[in-house]
Amino acid sequence: MRIIYQLLVVLFMVLQGAAVQTFIPGSAAHCQMQNGRCFPGICRRPFYWIGTCDNGFSCCKRYVEV
C-alpha cells in the first residue's frame, strides 16, 4: 500500500512538471521579426545580442557592414 502512495506522488509530480512546460510559438517569431535567431548562451561573432527569446535563449542578429 505504501508503494502505491509513492507511485501516486511521483505521477502527480510528473504531471505538474508537464503542465508547467509550455511552448510559446511567438518567441522565435518575435526574434525573427527583428531579423535575428535564437541561440543558447551568449551571442558569438558575427552575431550581436538584440534581446532574449521566451525560452531563455539569446536573440542574436548578424553584423551587417555597409
Side-chain angles (χ1 to χ4, degrees):
M1 199 66 162
R2 186 174 173 185
I3 293 174
I4 293 174
Y5 289 122
Q6 289 179 348
L7 289 175
L8 285 174
V9 168
V10 170
L11 178 65
F12 179 73
M13 291 173 60
V14 167
L15 289 176
Q16 276 204 339
V20 172
Q21 296 177 357
T22 58
F23 174 71
I24 303 171
S27 65
H30 178 69
C31 187
Q32 289 174 351
M33 286 189 326
Q34 300 178 29
N35 293 329
R37 293 174 54 189
C38 294
F39 288 105
I42 62 172
C43 302
R44 305 266 184 209
R45 288 187 186 186
F47 296 94
Y48 65 96
W49 185 83
I50 58 173
T52 304
C53 298
D54 288 339
N55 57 4
F57 288 1
S58 296
C59 183
C60 306
K61 187 173 182 179
R62 185 180 289 271
Y63 285 112
V64 177
E65 294 187 22
V66 180

